[in-house]
Amino acid sequence: IINLKNIDKEYKLGQTKITALKDVSLDIQAGEFISVCGPSGSGKTTLLNIIGCLDTPTKGNVKIIEKDVINYSDAKLSELRNKYIGFIFQSFNLIPVLSTFENVDYPLVLLGMKKKQRQEKVHAILSEVGLYDHKKHRPDELSGGQRQRVAIARALVTNPKLVLADEPTANLDHKTGVAILDLMQKMNEEHNCTFIFSTHDPEVMKYAKKIYHLRDGEIQKQGKRS
Amino acid sequence: IINLKNIDKEYKLGQTKITALKDVSLDIQAGEFISVCGPSGSGKTTLLNIIGCLDTPTKGNVKIIEKDVINYSDAKLSELRNKYIGFIFQSFNLIPVLSTFENVDYPLVLLGMKKKQRQEKVHAILSEVGLYDHKKHRPDELSGGQRQRVAIARALVTNPKLVLADEPTANLDHKTGVAILDLMQKMNEEHNCTFIFSTHDPEVMKYAKKIYHLRDGEIQKQGKRS
Ligand SMILES: Nc1ncnc2c1ncn2[C@@H]1O[C@H](COP(=O)(O)OP(=O)(O)OP(=O)(O)O)[C@@H](O)[C@H]1O
Ligand SMILES: Nc1ncnc2c1ncn2[C@@H]1O[C@H](COP(=O)(O)OP(=O)(O)OP(=O)(O)O)[C@@H](O)[C@H]1O
Ligand SMILES: [Mg+2]
Ligand SMILES: [Mg+2]
């Protein structure tokens, strides 16, 4: 479902060149549950952004769901993301003027779903993440961990083929984090949804069936949970 | 140095009343190193915001460094914060158009410090948090954990009497997190700087000499590290 071939990603700051990713190749099948870990600045977010077609590599090729996306227009990339991919960003990216309900409803509106069906799905996912009672709160009326869970609900409500999650439990207490991971695992097992998440937490890594270790933009080694 | 008496904090959303803090009383001495923990939504950020005079309680009294701050004007509160308190926010609050250096320099400019002295201090603290080489990067050119460390550097550069840190290591890998906590501990021991930090991480809690447990806005119990 994902094929990255010899990906490089470089940034230029004045005269300085920064290598965020270096010769990364990956092959990920549908239904995998993968963790990416590594020190701060090692390239995790950059990698997730490239897989999610939110950024383009300096070199290399990207295939997502059998499609060569390197030369896709912005409109086609946007359409692919809306149809197939759920994102949980490190910075949540909630829309400040929309309520919890409206933020989670939004991707379903983009898919053209009917109102009543949307409402059922939004209520169900908000209950799963423990935020049904906060459905009218706007993001600035929520705690950090509550905002994180809204972002999680928004990513999962469309039952995407692929979910990319950047440190999805970083701001959650242990119990809430476990509830979220159990939800993700359930979606993986019941719907064959592919999950790739970055994390710093060894407890979270235990859920992954495969672990990629990044360091200075390179995949150092892969681990497999025994 | 901090005295909270029977603090309540309530929000109103339409007809709904939300209790973020309920009858919280605290007495904190100079030089303490305290952790506040609790589930998502339990009131940690609200408590830190009130201690830091960034928010006012619905009821109760707040004394910071012997001053009754309840009736202070915004200008006086701002002056008190600039002089005495360093903040590490859950959302970092970096100024997007300023570089790493300029973000960390800013509180020193507000204190009227001379340029050469400011430069030395900024370079020193950026080296301590491992970001000297990123001093020209703007926040959108940094990873999540790098931004967190800029926020930490900015909070600590003035050698404040009090540092309030809201989940300061949430987005950091273990090694980087330990380096940050060691730096904080050093400031606590050498400069008698008071630290209050919220966290979900049991490893981080181990650094604290006293732990307050919040649940649904109430302090459930205090623990003391043996
Ligand atoms: N501006 C606001 N308006 C309405 N409710 C709010 C507001 N800010 C916070 N709350 C609510 O008050 C409660 C406490 O929020 P607070 O941010 O202090 O929690 P927290 O312990 O920091 O949580 P987290 O671990 O998720 O960061 C939450 O239920 C939250 O929804
Ligand atoms: N827009 C940009 N311009 C310049 N450099 C960037 C940019 N975005 C990221 N970088 C740099 O690329 C490297 C990788 O960044 P990335 O965000 O992928 O790291 P990360 O592994 O997600 O780190 P963290 O754990 O701190 O979130 C970092 O050194 C970062 O400073
Ligand atoms: Mg990142
Ligand atoms: Mg909080």
Side-chain angles (χ1 to χ4, degrees), chain B residues 129-145:
Chain B
V129 302
L131 286 178
Y132 183 84
D133 292 339
H134 291 77
K135 66 185 184 181
K136 293 184 180 181
H137 289 222
R138 281 199 310 281
D140 64 354
E141 299 161 335
L142 292 170
S143 79

Side-chain angles (χ1 to χ4, degrees), chain A residues 13 18 38-41 45 90-91 134 136-137 141 143-147 149 167 170-174 176 200, chain B residues 13 18 38-41 45 90-91 134 136-137 141 143-147 149 167 170-176 200:
Chain A
L13 278 184
I18 290 156
S40 179
T45 298
Q90 211 166 356
S91 60
H134 292 78
K136 294 185 177 179
H137 289 222
E141 298 160 338
S143 78
Q146 289 166 341
R147 283 189 228 135
R149 283 181 277 154
E167 300 182 24
N171 293 103
L172 303 179
D173 59 280
H174 180 75
T176 308
H200 293 299
Chain B
L13 278 185
I18 290 156
S40 179
T45 298
Q90 213 167 358
S91 60
H134 291 77
K136 293 184 180 181
H137 289 222
E141 299 161 335
S143 79
Q146 288 164 345
R147 285 191 225 129
R149 283 181 276 153
E167 301 182 24
N171 294 104
L172 303 180
D173 58 280
H174 180 76
K175 183 177 172 188
T176 308
H200 293 298

Side-chain angles (χ1 to χ4, degrees), chain B residues 185-217:
Chain B
Q185 204 165 36
K186 178 172 129 185
M187 287 178 68
N188 173 252
E189 288 166 0
E190 292 178 6
H191 300 286
N192 209 36
C193 178
T194 308
F195 278 85
I196 307 172
F197 55 96
S198 75
T199 187
H200 293 298
D201 189 341
E203 292 297 313
V204 172
M205 269 179 253
K206 288 178 178 177
Y207 279 77
K209 293 172 185 160
K210 198 185 287 178
I211 302 175
Y212 290 120
H213 296 266
L214 272 176
R215 175 170 289 276
D216 297 322

Side-chain angles (χ1 to χ4, degrees), chain A:
Chain A
I1 168 173
I2 292 164
N3 183 264
L4 300 188
K5 252 189 166 192
N6 305 113
I7 297 291
D8 279 355
K9 177 68 186 182
E10 293 169 349
Y11 294 100
K12 280 203 169 98
L13 278 184
Q15 299 300 320
T16 308
K17 184 169 68 174
I18 290 156
T19 302
L21 289 176
K22 188 170 176 187
D23 199 32
V24 169
S25 293
L26 288 179
D27 206 15
I28 296 171
Q29 316 298 323
E32 293 204 58
F33 202 87
I34 292 172
S35 168
V36 179
C37 66
S40 179
S42 56
K44 299 179 299 298
T45 298
T46 303
L47 177 64
L48 290 175
N49 283 344
I50 285 174
I51 292 172
C53 310
L54 293 167
D55 201 0
T56 52
T58 313
K59 268 168 70 183
N61 197 44
V62 184
K63 259 185 172 182
I64 303 291
I65 307 174
E66 319 291 331
K67 302 163 194 322
D68 271 320
V69 296
I70 272 301
N71 294 311
Y72 268 33
S73 67
D74 283 350
K76 282 191 89 169
L77 287 173
S78 198
E79 180 184 349
L80 184 132
R81 284 192 301 266
N82 289 345
K83 271 179 94 176
Y84 299 116
I85 307 176
F87 295 89
I88 301 166
F89 294 96
Q90 211 166 356
S91 60
F92 318 145
N93 281 23
L94 300 177
I95 300 170
V97 300
L98 298 183
S99 69
T100 293
F101 181 98
E102 291 163 336
N103 264 291
V104 179
D105 189 41
Y106 189 62
L108 300 178
V109 171
L110 292 181
L111 289 177
M113 193 175 289
K114 294 196 186 277
K115 186 173 176 179
K116 186 172 165 78
Q117 191 184 10
R118 288 195 308 196
Q119 191 171 44
E120 284 169 8
K121 281 177 154 306
V122 173
H123 283 170
I125 195 79
L126 284 179
S127 295
E128 291 249 31
V129 301
L131 286 178
Y132 184 84
D133 292 339
H134 292 78
K135 65 184 184 180
K136 294 185 177 179
H137 289 222
R138 281 200 309 281
D140 65 354
E141 298 160 338
L142 293 170
S143 78
Q146 289 166 341
R147 283 189 228 135
Q148 193 164 27
R149 283 181 277 154
V150 174
I152 289 166
R154 181 185 62 187
L156 302 182
V157 75
T158 59
N159 271 308
K161 277 182 176 291
L162 168 63
V163 173
L164 305 175
D166 206 351
E167 300 182 24
T169 59
N171 293 103
L172 303 179
D173 59 280
H174 180 75
K175 183 177 171 188
T176 308
V178 165
I180 294 302
L181 286 158
D182 286 346
L183 171 60
M184 289 178 172
Q185 206 166 30
K186 180 171 126 184
M187 287 179 69
N188 173 254
E189 288 166 0
E190 295 181 359
H191 300 285
N192 209 36
C193 178
T194 307
F195 278 85
I196 307 172
F197 54 97
S198 74
T199 186
H200 293 299
D201 190 341
E203 293 295 312
V204 172
M205 269 179 253
K206 288 178 177 178
Y207 279 78
K209 293 173 189 161
K210 198 186 282 180
I211 301 173
Y212 289 121
H213 296 265
L214 272 176
R215 176 169 290 276
D216 297 320
E218 292 181 74
I219 290 184
Q220 289 284 317
K221 66 184 176 179
Q222 293 178 38
K224 222 171 179 189
R225 188 167 54 90
S226 52

Side-chain angles (χ1 to χ4, degrees), chain B residues 49-56 62 64 67-85 87:
Chain B
N49 282 345
I50 285 174
I51 292 171
C53 310
L54 292 168
D55 201 359
T56 52
V62 184
I64 304 292
K67 302 165 191 329
D68 272 320
V69 297
I70 273 298
N71 294 312
Y72 268 33
S73 68
D74 284 350
K76 283 194 90 177
L77 286 172
S78 199
E79 180 184 349
L80 184 131
R81 286 194 299 268
N82 288 345
K83 273 181 94 178
Y84 298 116
I85 307 175
F87 295 89

